[in-house]
Amino acid sequence: MKIRWLLFVLGLFLITSCSQKNNIYISASGNDSNDGTKGHPLLTIAKAQELVQTMQKQKPGEPIIVNIRGGVYTLNNAMLFNAMDTDSGKTPVVYRAYKNEEPVFTGSKALQNWQVLKDENKLSLLDPAVKDKIYVTDLSKAEISDFGDPVVDGNRPDLVCNGQLQTLAHWPNSGFTRSGEIRGKTPMPLGYTKERRTKEGIFEYMDARQDRWAQEKEPCAEGYWYWDWKEEYQKIDKIDPVKNTIYLQEPYHNYGYKDSLRYYGVNLFCEIDQPTEWYLDRSESKLYWYPPEGINPEQAKVTLTIFNAPYMVEIKNVKNLTLKGLSFLESRGNGILIKGGENCLIADCRLERFGNEGIHIDGGTGHGIQGCFLNSFGNGGVVLDGGDRRTLTPSGTFVENTVIENFSLFRRTYEPAILVNGCGHRMSHNRFRHSSSSALRVEGNEHVIEYNEISDVVNESDDQGGLDMWYNLSYQGNIIRYNRWTDINGKDGICGSAGVRLDDMISGVLIYGNVFENCGSVIFGAVQVHGGKENLIENNLFYNCYGAYSFSRWDMERWLNHMNDPVTQKRLYEEVDINSPLYQQRYPVLRDINANLNVNTVQNNLVVDCNQEIIRDEDRVNRYKNNTTIQADGKSIKDLCNKDVLKQYGLQPIPLNEMGPINNKWIK
């Protein structure tokens, strides 16, 4: 795989050295009637694709570069690439930023003609303190008629000022409020916390301020309705100020509703009371906004996302296509899709402010994301899906030297920086940070997660980890090594948060050479194992953590119940076959899957200034070997990762200085 990738990189070098005759130029001031030369550039990608296909016929197999000059390119339709765009892979093609210029493809529209709100009827609904601070613009004059839906994925508009997302008007202005009692009529079975719950979303509100919401046109709420690891947006059907009761619209939340649940109201005109808050009145085609301090709306760059195709760029069944140095900004949907094909590369690109996800690689082999910057996503950052789990054929797909931050802004749980599924993906030298939930969700086999920095995640939800895996014993051969996990200690919930969390039977994982700093809370250590076995936790540094490792055991009855469950049977014997010679040889732990329950190996780790080393392993069924607990005595993490210091405590080198992105052009 490494040899193939080196050849691919060499091919890119040869491409960048090819003659001017194989270069095409695009400019925001170009014209599709031009010939595509540097002096007479084209205007659109679509026209460049036509010219590329013509050149392929004239000089088959010769690499082609499409140079895109700096400027803003507003998209009305998605960029679509298929096998013809690289002559079924025979002609490598690069679409790249010209020299140091930055071409920007955007799915938003500028808003102008702002006026201070003077309508007394409207002002009477607002806090008097915001008088003369609220601005309004008529979207019909900007020729915007598709207003979308405030809480629907892929059709939810965002307001942006000078590159910063603005806040859809809500209350409380930060955090959540608590309900009183639930008032639904249909009880549901109790969860393990024994909190009562009902099917209907009907509950008491406790603050009289919410009486005002009864007059709102499209009130919504977002909340952790039962579990603190699963939130959801819901539309409000009605509000009864006499009974202090909120009635949510169906469909109701799958897990039901409990007393004292946490939630906030959103899409509320009456709650525009803080800078950055805005509200779109769909019946009147008007947008109301409280600008950030010091911002004059007429002098600022203010945009509304209007592009709502599923993806800005679709690359389907394409081989040897590269997008390099391009910026894709502001869409209600997703950024880039690569589906099928081989050796497509997204390099040095920037994707910001998308309503859904950034990049989705679905199948194919050898695709890569390299040196990119992804920021501000309503849902997750990257989805990797490929390889064959049944035959354990790796995808060869990778993400490296890439920054993904401020993700899961809309869907607050289970929308990580990277969701990986399948077999044989690699994630190296990346930085993931700033999220309410997990940075990595890992499903499948033989993935390598190495040299990454993960920080400030799981800062709102509970019972999760910076990396989360769960409920599939066939997920084997995964490696988590040489990563730095920092400030992952979440809210004070029932369980807490971990740096790495192996949940519900996850087994056979190697956790090696990592640095955990300020991780773990409540009943979770920096590494948390729930019901799994034969995991190896070795040669890690735990620094100033709530606990180094925690274990919550399963008894044999629970284990066998899960093993006999039809869902588990399908995962183990239909999706793959853990009894096959391949699985039995590759993963010896599966030869007797009911043996060694809860037995994991913890060895040669260094625990420094942690509240406790071990949380919840009362029977000490795990194997502990040569672990050392010390006080820092003024030593920093850098000091402790000195190879001579580590050797003193029996550890092998931990390459702290190699963790994180290398040569990412977007890092200031």
Side-chain angles (χ1 to χ4, degrees), residues 578-612:
I578 65 169
N579 285 335
S580 69
L582 175 63
Y583 266 69
Q584 292 284 300
Q585 179 181 8
R586 191 78 63 91
Y587 312 126
V589 67
L590 297 178
R591 294 174 186 171
D592 189 349
I593 57 176
N594 296 326
N596 297 321
L597 263 60
N598 304 298
V599 179
N600 303 276
T601 299
V602 184
Q603 64 186 25
N604 301 331
N605 298 287
L606 181 58
V607 180
V608 183
D609 281 359
C610 294
N611 290 349
Q612 49 197 316

Side-chain angles (χ1 to χ4, degrees), residues 29-127:
S29 60
N31 192 306
D32 281 349
S33 298
N34 291 339
D35 60 7
T37 58
K38 186 175 181 181
H40 301 87
L42 303 174
L43 175 63
T44 67
I45 295 288
K47 191 63 179 180
Q49 289 175 273
E50 293 179 13
L51 187 52
V52 165
Q53 293 182 20
T54 299
M55 294 172 68
Q56 290 170 348
K57 295 175 183 178
Q58 295 171 346
K59 296 182 178 181
E62 289 194 14
I64 298 171
I65 294 180
V66 179
N67 299 278
I68 307 173
R69 304 299 301 267
V72 177
Y73 301 79
T74 300
L75 294 179
N76 296 313
N77 300 292
M79 300 182 198
L80 304 177
F81 296 90
N82 58 40
M84 297 296 293
D85 286 290
T86 59
D87 193 17
S88 297
K90 299 174 185 176
T91 303
V93 180
V94 177
Y95 287 78
R96 70 176 186 185
Y98 177 71
K99 293 188 175 179
N100 294 321
E101 299 178 9
E102 185 181 0
V104 175
F105 296 91
T106 182
S108 62
K109 193 164 188 177
L111 300 184
Q112 298 173 331
N113 301 314
W114 293 97
Q115 304 293 326
V116 175
L117 178 62
K118 298 296 185 182
D119 186 327
E120 291 297 333
N121 290 329
K122 290 289 186 181
L123 288 171
S124 68
L125 301 174
L126 300 172
D127 187 323

